[in-house]
Structure formats: structure tokens, C-alpha cells
Amino acid sequence: MEAVNPNVPWDRDELTVGDLAARSGVSVSALHFYERKGLIASRRTSGNQRRYRRETLRRVAFIRVSQRVGIPLADIGAALDTLPGDRTPTAKDWRRISQAWHDDLDARIEQLSRLRDHLTDCIGCGCLSLRRCALTNPHDELAETGPGPRTLLVDGLEPDGA
């Protein structure tokens, strides 16, 4: 196991996995996971150790920020695949990609707001076990609109398992 050095020299072109972990704040196992998913890439030394281009720091930051706002890894990977030659996202790339995610994020925000505001109400799941459900969803009328917690769902966001 390589030692983690938080003081990675700024003029080094390549980073070890430990250096990348220390500088990015991402665990070594997460970096290996990102690599298995094709989100980042490394080369192997003659001793079979990973070496990452310094620009991978920006790519990892892009992944982390995207995840932080709720973008699934599959969507992050698809966005990174739009970049020519596996290059690191630029500020212009980030603006373009984040704008494409804007509607999805707005729908997620609306869904979370509904969840927050109606957490103690009938959610339209069909169980009808709460007295309030008999008033807001008599005879499970919401079932006609589709599966899942109907009063909390937002158009464009499918319930898990869909």
C-alpha cells in the first residue's frame, strides 16, 4: 500500500493513487471504482502501479460535484464520454453539461420539496392504513394514475424500480 502524501508537489505530471486520493479527498477504493466504471483512467508502471495524469484531479472533482447534486454515475459517465479524447472537463464543458442537467435537478428539487412538505400526509402509496388516507385517497383512486407514492412524485422522475 502506498503512503498518502497530502503535500503533492504542484509540478508533478503524474500522481500515484495515494497522491490522487490525498489531493482529491476521495478514497483509494473510490478511485479504483471510478476507474472500473471508466470515469477515470491510469497507466501502469513496470511495477504494475497506477499513475494518473495530474488533470485527473479536475475529472475527479467533476465527478464528486456531480454526485453531490444527485446526478447518477451513469449520467456522469455519459457526460464525460462527450468529451473528445477522454480529456478533462473545462469550465465551458461544465457549463454545457450542468445546463443539460438543469431540468432534472429542478424536478429533483420539486420532488424533495413535496416530500418535505407532505411527509406526514398520505403519500398515495395505496396502503390506506392511515385515517388521513381515507380522506385524501379514498378507495385508492390514485392507483389509476400509476404505481408508487403518487402524491410525492414529480413528472419526469420515475419511482425507483421503474
Side-chain angles (χ1 to χ4, degrees), residues 9-49:
W10 66 269
D11 60 349
R12 213 194 281 151
D13 290 336
E14 289 188 320
L15 304 173
T16 67
V17 68
D19 289 342
L20 183 59
R23 184 61 185 89
S24 67
V26 175
S27 70
V28 169
S29 61
L31 293 171
H32 290 170
F33 177 77
Y34 292 163
E35 192 167 356
R36 282 193 308 276
K37 293 294 184 184
L39 301 172
I40 61 174
S42 68
R43 72 169 186 87
R44 297 293 181 129
T45 66
S46 59
N48 203 30
Q49 295 178 338

Side-chain angles (χ1 to χ4, degrees), residues 53-131:
R53 292 186 344 230
R54 186 168 194 83
E55 294 82 18
T56 306
L57 280 168
R58 186 178 310 143
R59 203 168 172 96
V60 171
F62 176 92
I63 295 165
R64 292 291 304 248
V65 168
S66 301
Q67 284 183 298
R68 181 77 177 169
V69 297
I71 304 299
L73 275 179
D75 293 350
I76 296 168
L80 290 171
D81 287 344
T82 67
L83 302 177
D86 292 330
R87 74 168 165 74
T88 300
T90 63
K92 184 177 178 180
D93 294 325
W94 176 248
R95 281 190 300 277
R96 176 182 54 82
I97 292 168
S98 63
Q99 185 61 42
W101 292 336
H102 197 266
D103 291 342
D104 180 58
L105 291 173
D106 282 345
R108 289 170 189 263
I109 290 167
E110 183 180 345
Q111 181 121 14
L112 287 170
S113 294
R114 282 187 189 182
L115 178 60
R116 179 200 61 220
D117 296 343
H118 300 286
L119 198 55
T120 58
D121 294 344
C122 172
I123 59 174
C125 66
C127 75
L128 302 178
S129 63
L130 300 174
R131 286 187 183 157

